Structures are given as C-alpha cells and as structure tokens.
Amino acid sequence: VSTCSLPTAGQGGHGKCDCGKCKCDEGWYGEACQYPTTCNLTRKKSNEMCKNSQDIICSGAGTCQCGRCKCANSEGNGLVYGKFCECDDRECLDDETEEVCTGHGKCYCGNCYCEAGWHGDKCEFQCDITPWEIKKRCTSPDGKICSNRGTCVCGECTCHDVDPTGDWGDIHGDTCECDERNCKAVYDRYSDDFCSGHGQCNCGMCDCKEGWTGKKCEHPRSCPLSAEESAKKCQGNSNLPCSGRGRCECGQCTCFPPGDNRVHGKNCECDDRQCENMDGNVCGGRGICSCGRCICQDGWFGKLCQHSRKCNMTEEESRSLCESADGILCSGKGSCHCGKCICSPQEWYISGDFCECDDRDCDKHDGLICTGNGVCSCGNCECWEGWNGNACEIWLGREYP
C-alpha cells in the first residue's frame, strides 16, 4: 500500500505516487512528502510540537523537523513509527530468528497480539489446552473474562495489581472476582482500614462489626438517622456524599485528608488544591483562592490567573504560536490570546498548550477524575504529594492521626 499523500479533493498532497514511491513537489521531501524544505517555525516552537506526553522530543527515537517527527529507521525497515515515534516494532522481533512475534501473532506499536493457543511477550509459548478450555477457566461467575480486571493467559488469570509498591494488590481470586477496593470508602485511600475500620472485607464485601451497618460499615446503628438519610444530608448539592472528599458519619462530613484545611465546607464542597499548580503556587501569585476558584488581580485572568490581559504581540505573531502542526488554531477548540491558547470553558475537559488534550481520558476512581487527588495533564493523572496510582487513588504518604 502506498504511503504517498495523494492530491485528492479536500487534502493537501505534496507529491505524486509512482510505482509505490512518492515523487515530491518542489519544497517538500520525505517518504510521504511530509516535510517542508523551508521551515517557518522557530526551533523552540518546532520542538514543542514534537514532544510526546512525557515531554520527550520524538520519544527519543527520532529527530524533529519543522514540528514533525522523523523516526530513526537506520535500516529503512519502518519499524519505528507514530506521530511522536512512540511505536517501536523492534520490540516484537525474536532475538534469534528476528521473526515478528515468533510467527505466531501480529505486532502493533511494539506489542505482540498472539494467535489462539500462543502466549508470551513475543508469542513464544504454546498453550496445551484448547481455546474453549482457556475461556472456561478464565470466566468469572458474572460471565466476564477475568472479571474485566485481569488478563487470561493459557487458562489462568493475571489480575491487575493496583498497588504501586509491588505488594499483593487489592484485586485477587482465581478469576479476579474479588476487588477489595470496594471495601474502602470514597476518599479513604490514605488509610489501610477496610470497611471504614468497622468491619472485615471478604472478597470485596464488608462484614460489619456489631453496632455498624452500611455497604462499607460507615453508618453507626446508634445514629437517629437512617443510612439513606445520613448520606442525603452529607450530599448537599453534590453527586456524592461529602462531595467525594470526606467521610459521612450520621449526617456529618469529615473532610479528607484530615488536617489538610485546603479541603473544607459543610459538605467538603471546597477544594482549594484546585487553585494550585504542580509547584504549589496558589493562583500563580496573582490572585486569591475562594472555595477552589481563583479570584484574579486586575490585569490577569484564567483558571490559575495565568493570562495577562496586556499583550505586546501583533495578531499575526500571536496566531502563529497558537497553531498546531496541522495549521489549525488551538485545535479548533479554543481561542488565541497573546500566543497562548485559551480552551473553550464550555468543554471543561479540553486542555493542553494547543487544546489538543481530552481530560476525560484520565483514569477515574469512585467516578472522580484522578480521584480528586491530582490533576489531569493531557490524559494522564499527575498526583499530588503522597498519592500514587493511575488514578491517584492510593495513599503512600505519612499516616494521619
């Protein structure tokens, strides 16, 4: 299949395909005529456009040429590819035979996807039981393969371990049917206590001690309110009791983490951590935080008061800094102010220097993005100090009193 950018209607092709190879128009080069010979971008701007989600230029596997990555394929085999050279199919090659996935699977972005009956990182191991038997052994009581919490390899489930320390994780069982995270209360990740400290967790279900009730043993039987009435009182205008930021006990909220006065309010509705950047600066030093929102000084605006209302650039200079590699202003999802993109406030989940990120891609726990213990940065959670896990759901900091 030809990789030429053919000049078809609605597309900007830069060459013609001749017998499977591209003949580029004047001013363009590359195997698909994707690189301009003259670049109008500054080196800094070009490098910014070539950075992957970890801020590494072309994933360390290529060079940046006018905002586009040219992947390092010294042998011309095309095994390193992707917008940011993030895919390296050399990882799929057998060390001895150099066969792709040992001839028993297909490679996609450096990972082998094995044919039925084969497994291993490079599909090098053969399974001695039938595909039907494999599926049967891995099917959980609810009819799902490994309860959708693990991977099935030759009839055995490998459960996703959520403990970043490498210790035995919260998910276990022959078919990963037990998820002990279900025994932990919302936002109680700083504690090792299951079932609110008032019960024992058995395969994801709480057995409460005498005097306590509720799905997570969170409700004292001595409380004059029912568990439902208590939760409703703690919920206020939020979707979760204590806004998902504290413990509800007999209609009263205790905000988490204890001792951190940045989370406050009758229903823990105020989270002043939202006013801080990853360096801990509140509202960029240009405003004050009020219940999780920045009130900016005159002359500044933005979620963290990061934008100055004054601008010393021309409109043309400003726009040139807001265009992404495809030439679209702020990815079509925001406006440009003084060379920086301001993403559409109507779409809260849009972020990134060019509004290219969708924060809905960040992992959730208890229905909250990054469990509320970090910020979503271009689809990945950046956790606040003391928190860890893909969704910042695990407390690894000091114990609170």
Side-chain angles (χ1 to χ4, degrees):
V1 178
S2 169
T3 59
C4 295
S5 302
L6 295 178
T8 56
Q11 296 180 338
H14 306 299
K16 293 182 179 179
C17 190
D18 183 9
C19 202
K21 290 190 176 182
C22 286
K23 287 188 176 181
C24 302
D25 295 338
E26 188 176 349
W28 295 88
Y29 73 102
E31 67 275 4
C33 304
Q34 71 271 46
Y35 305 115
T37 52
T38 303
C39 184
N40 295 323
L41 300 175
T42 63
R43 182 180 292 274
K44 182 180 178 181
K45 173 72 173 176
S46 174
N47 286 342
E48 282 296 320
M49 292 165 66
C50 287
K51 287 182 179 179
N52 63 13
S53 57
Q54 284 79 44
D55 279 342
I56 300 173
I57 294 173
C58 299
S59 307
T63 56
C64 184
Q65 300 191 12
C66 201
R68 294 177 173 89
C69 285
K70 186 175 184 180
C71 303
N73 285 294
S74 56
E75 298 174 8
N77 50 22
L79 292 176
V80 183
Y81 59 96
K83 182 179 179 182
F84 302 108
C85 304
E86 69 276 16
C87 297
D88 188 349
D89 284 357
R90 292 175 297 186
E91 298 291 329
C92 296
L93 298 180
D94 183 86
D95 294 334
E96 295 179 2
T97 66
E98 293 196 351
E99 271 191 294
V100 175
C101 302
T102 330
H104 304 298
K106 292 184 177 181
C107 184
Y108 176 72
C109 203
N111 294 291
C112 282
Y113 293 83
C114 305
E115 296 171 353
W118 294 86
H119 62 101
D121 290 342
K122 297 178 182 178
C123 308
E124 67 270 37
F125 301 117
Q126 189 170 15
C127 192
D128 56 2
I129 58 176
T130 64
W132 181 85
E133 183 66 22
I134 291 172
K135 185 177 180 180
K136 179 183 175 184
R137 292 185 189 182
C138 287
T139 300
S140 57
D142 60 3
K144 297 173 182 175
I145 300 297
C146 300
S147 308
N148 284 350
R149 302 187 190 108
T151 53
C152 179
V153 177
C154 202
E156 293 187 4
C157 286
T158 302
C159 303
H160 299 317
D161 187 359
V162 297
D163 189 339
T165 64
D167 293 337
W168 181 64
D170 290 331
I171 299 173
H172 61 99
D174 289 342
T175 56
C176 308
E177 69 275 15
C178 300
D179 187 349
E180 306 218 343
R181 293 176 301 179
N182 292 333
C183 292
K184 288 189 174 183
V186 176
Y187 263 77
D188 203 6
R189 298 301 185 276
Y190 75 94
S191 169
D192 286 333
D193 286 339
F194 290 101
C195 306
S196 307
H198 307 302
Q200 184 173 349
C201 185
N202 292 315
C203 196
M205 302 285 287
C206 283
D207 293 332
C208 301
K209 294 177 183 176
E210 189 175 350
W212 294 88
T213 186
K215 187 178 178 182
K216 298 176 183 178
C217 306
E218 74 279 9
H219 189 67
R221 291 188 182 275
S222 58
C223 177
L225 303 174
S226 68
E228 292 76 17
E229 289 170 336
S230 172
K232 188 175 181 181
K233 191 173 180 181
C234 287
Q235 189 166 326
N237 296 323
S238 173
N239 294 324
L240 293 168
C242 304
S243 307
R245 301 187 185 106
R247 173 189 288 152
C248 176
E249 195 169 295
C250 199
Q252 297 288 321
C253 287
T254 302
C255 303
F256 287 163
D260 189 341
N261 58 14
R262 293 175 299 176
V263 182
H264 58 98
K266 181 182 178 182
N267 302 116
C268 306
E269 68 273 16
C270 298
D271 186 355
D272 290 350
R273 296 173 300 182
Q274 301 293 334
C275 293
E276 298 179 6
N277 61 17
M278 292 307 295
D279 295 324
N281 294 324
V282 176
C283 302
R286 307 180 190 103
I288 58 171
C289 187
S290 175
C291 197
R293 291 179 178 270
C294 285
I295 300 174
C296 304
Q297 297 170 357
D298 287 345
W300 295 89
F301 70 102
K303 185 180 177 183
L304 298 175
C305 305
Q306 70 271 39
H307 300 299
S308 172
R309 294 194 182 277
K310 293 181 181 178
C311 184
N312 296 322
M313 292 182 184
T314 65
E315 183 70 20
E316 188 177 344
E317 287 173 334
S318 175
R319 288 178 64 89
S320 69
L321 293 173
C322 288
E323 288 182 354
S324 50
D326 52 12
I328 298 176
L329 194 73
C330 301
S331 305
K333 299 172 184 174
S335 58
C336 183
H337 173 75
C338 207
K340 292 186 177 180
C341 287
I342 301 172
C343 304
S344 170
Q346 284 76 33
E347 297 176 291
W348 60 266
Y349 46 85
I350 298 300
S351 66
D353 290 340
F354 300 101
C355 303
E356 76 278 17
C357 303
D358 189 332
D359 285 353
R360 292 175 298 183
D361 293 338
C362 271
D363 288 313
K364 295 181 182 179
H365 202 70
D366 295 315
L368 298 166
I369 288 176
C370 303
T371 327
N373 298 324
V375 294
C376 184
S377 177
C378 214
N380 294 294
C381 289
E382 292 186 1
C383 306
W384 285 315
E385 186 178 358
W387 297 93
N388 210 320
N390 289 338
C392 306
E393 77 276 25
I394 301 163
W395 174 253
L396 292 179
R398 65 181 178 86
E399 288 296 324
Y400 283 94

